[in-house]
Every structure is written in structure tokens, then in C-alpha cells.
Amino acid sequence: MTALLRYQAALLLRSQRWLPPVVLYAAALGIGVQGGQPVLDSLGWAAAVLLPVAAWLVRICVTGEPPAARSCVSAARGPVRAHLAAVLVALAAATVLGAAATVVVALISDPVGTGRGTRVPLLPAGGAGLLAALVCALLGTAVGALTAWPVLRSPGRAVPALLLAALLALVASGSPARAAVSGLVTGSKSGTVTMPWLPLAVAALVAAAAVAGACALSSRRPSA
């Protein structure tokens, strides 16, 4: 599995297809986060916009190989493990991106509540922001896994489905991402920090189920 992870990571880095989602994420942060803003509000924005980026990275990783190369890797290591490695590399990339953004946002933001009358402890706020970013990365991974090959093979259907599913994952009632982000925003209003452990657990279960289903389907559908 280690060799597959290294192969997929090298494929992602050398393809430079990661540049558009990273640039999009940086642009979204530049629009929604300004220095001196309340830290929890800024961390909520940074986590929320990570979700569609994570889904995009999954699509990049699972479709980055030509069909012939994918077939060779699947024959050598098994289609399930090959597909799982691609998804895990995407998740790792989204997690690293979200963690880096969380650190930067925490450093440039003001450790106060929304009304600026309450101090917010910076380290717990950063921890809550990291967990929220991980929730959104996991849910974005689930969205990407369910809207890319082998679940949806036509880009004309897959891309709109990805965008719609990412939006729903952020705004739908009961969504772990919505709960994690809302927890940060609500905490900013009251000046309290709440760790989103329950949304994290639910997001992990959803991502595991989505990835498992996509991996199982990869063994039944041809690469092209």
C-alpha cells in the first residue's frame, strides 16, 4: 500500500492538476478572511470552503491516470487498493491544505468574539478550527468519491453532481460540515470554543462508507 500511496502522490504533484483547487482555496480565503477579524468566524470560513476543494482533489486523483495505466496498476495491486490509494492521497492533500490554512488564519485573526467584547483562547480556537477543517475534508472526500469514477463516469454528469453535492453537504440540515462550521460561528457570538467531536465522528463514518462503496465498484467497472 505504501508504494501505491507514493505513486499516487507523485502522480498528483507532477501533474500540477492540484494547482487550480489550491489557487481557488487561496482566493476564497483572500475574499473571506481579513487580518484582525474574529478568529472563530475566520476559521469557520476556512473550513467551509475546504469542502469543495477536497472533493475536487479526489476527482483529480481518481481520474489522473490514463485508462491503460490505471488498468496496469489495478492488475498489479488490485483495483480496490489502487482506488483507495488515490482517494487517501486526495484526503491527505486536503487535510494538509486545511491545516496550513487554519494555522495562517489563526495567526492573522483577532482572538475575540464577534462583538469583540469577549476574548477567545487562541489555542483551543485553533484546535476547533483544525477539527472543523478535518470534518469538511472528510465530507468533501465522500462527495468526491461518489461523484467521480467509478460511480459517475461522464464528466458532464459528474462535475455538476460534485458541485451540487458539495453545496448540499455545507447547507443541508444534519450535515456534519454544517454542524462543525455553525459551532465555530455560534461560539464566536458567545465567545466560547466547542470542539466538533460528534460532527467529526459522523463525517468519518460517512467518508468511510462512501469510499468503501466507490472502491468496491471500481473492481466491477472497466477503466474506460
Side-chain angles (χ1 to χ4, degrees):
M1 194 65 180
T2 302
L4 282 173
L5 293 172
R6 289 178 179 174
Y7 167 71
Q8 290 292 344
L11 196 66
L12 175 63
L13 291 174
R14 292 174 183 175
S15 71
Q16 297 186 356
R17 295 177 66 193
W18 53 269
L19 277 172
V22 171
V23 170
L24 174 65
Y25 189 52
L29 290 179
I31 293 171
V33 177
Q34 303 294 327
Q37 289 181 335
V39 62
L40 290 175
D41 290 330
S42 297
L43 289 172
W45 174 262
V49 295
L50 181 64
L51 195 153
V53 172
W56 192 353
L57 287 169
V58 171
R59 176 168 179 79
I60 288 172
C61 287
V62 301
T63 61
E65 299 170 282
R70 186 186 303 137
S71 298
C72 290
V73 174
S74 297
R77 297 291 184 175
V80 172
R81 296 179 68 188
H83 194 74
L84 178 60
V87 175
L88 289 179
V89 166
L91 174 59
T95 302
V96 170
L97 187 61
T102 299
V103 172
V104 173
V105 169
L107 290 176
I108 68 173
S109 299
D110 197 1
V112 294
T114 301
R116 297 186 179 276
T118 306
R119 301 293 296 180
V120 174
L122 187 57
L123 286 180
L130 282 173
L131 291 179
L134 182 55
V135 170
C136 290
L138 286 166
L139 214 58
T141 299
V143 169
L146 295 176
T147 57
W149 185 90
V151 180
L152 296 177
R153 291 182 285 183
S154 169
R157 296 179 179 178
V159 174
L162 185 151
L163 296 174
L164 179 60
L167 177 62
L168 290 175
L170 283 171
V171 303
S173 178
S175 165
R178 177 180 175 178
V181 174
S182 297
L184 292 174
V185 175
T186 302
S188 182
K189 294 177 181 178
S190 61
T192 58
V193 178
T194 303
M195 297 296 177
W197 294 114
L198 180 58
L200 178 61
V202 175
L205 290 174
V206 171
V211 173
C215 288
L217 194 58
S218 69
S219 64
R220 302 176 185 178
R221 287 192 172 180
S223 298

